[in-house]
Amino acid sequence: MAAARLRTGDPPPAVRPLDPPLPDDFGDPIAVIANAHARQRALGGRLKQAAGVGEIGRADADPLIACLGYELPQHHDDLDCDLFPLLRRRILPEDALVPVLARLAEDHRRTERQAQAIVDLLAADPASDPIRLTDPARDLFLAQAALTKRLVSLESGIVLAIARVRLTRADLKALACSFRARRGMEAS
């Protein structure tokens, strides 16, 4: 049986041992995105490690399920639904960001498909410990780690750098409100 995809409005999973921890305050949306990127780097490292070993223990699999099935879709919604449209209104032609944003949105859909396949694989038998990884599963883990690394590099190195320059205080406040609402948090 495939694992249900967690989306906006679902309660967050209780397991969150990836470092750094999630922020308590979403008041600085650029910092929230940077935090998500740090957690995705950690996730990529764990995926590569599991692929190299050929198995993953349940204690390590559950945080990956939470991150891939819950945090990653929220992060992509933060970017695709809020940050990218706002940036499109603020960027200048010399920023040359429009094709980058389009490519990232496409890659988000691809990485979410891969992430869901990993979630389904890890959640298929909750009693299995450790979970043995087939060669195709190992390839999937490595592909997800590589795509995550590329996305995080582009988003951190280009998109966030331009966002810091182009977005206004009002833009950042609106982003923070959207991020909180997506997570069922009260506005502050």
Side-chain angles (χ1 to χ4, degrees):
M1 181 167 98
R5 181 181 188 115
L6 299 169
R7 293 302 295 188
T8 302
D10 290 336
V15 180
R16 294 200 184 271
L18 287 178
D19 285 324
L22 289 171
D24 292 329
D25 177 19
F26 284 72
D28 180 353
I30 301 298
V32 169
I33 295 168
N35 174 273
H37 289 164
R39 290 175 64 79
Q40 289 171 27
R41 282 186 201 93
L43 168 79
R46 288 197 183 178
L47 290 171
K48 284 176 66 174
Q49 180 182 23
V53 173
E55 66 181 33
I56 184 168
R58 178 58 50 198
D60 291 322
D62 289 343
L64 298 184
I65 291 169
C67 189
L68 290 167
Y70 184 76
E71 290 177 34
L72 187 68
Q74 279 189 336
H75 171 68
H76 288 164
D77 286 348
D78 289 343
L79 298 176
D80 297 334
C81 300
D82 296 316
L83 179 63
F84 292 178
L86 188 56
L87 273 173
R88 283 184 185 98
R89 293 193 301 270
R90 299 286 184 244
I91 56 175
L92 301 176
E94 60 265 25
D95 294 332
L97 197 58
V98 172
V100 173
L101 297 178
R103 174 65 190 266
L104 286 170
E106 180 182 312
D107 284 347
H108 289 164
R109 290 187 294 276
R110 184 169 141 223
T111 194
E112 284 193 34
R113 286 190 301 273
Q114 287 180 182
Q116 188 60 49
I118 292 170
V119 168
D120 291 345
L121 184 145
L122 294 176
D125 181 6
S128 182
D129 190 14
I131 301 163
R132 308 264 185 244
L133 301 177
T134 63
D135 286 343
R138 292 167 92 165
D139 291 344
L140 177 62
F141 277 41
L142 291 173
Q144 182 73 5
L147 182 56
T148 296
K149 181 178 180 180
R150 188 171 63 73
L151 285 170
V152 167
S153 295
L154 283 170
E155 290 168 2
S156 294
I158 297 172
V159 176
L160 290 186
I162 292 173
R164 285 183 179 98
V165 173
R166 300 286 180 234
L167 297 181
T168 67
R169 282 191 197 136
D171 294 338
L172 294 172
K173 186 174 181 176
L175 282 176
C177 288
S178 291
F179 289 9
R180 283 188 193 103
R182 181 167 289 112
R183 289 160 180 83
M185 301 167 73
E186 291 186 30
S188 56

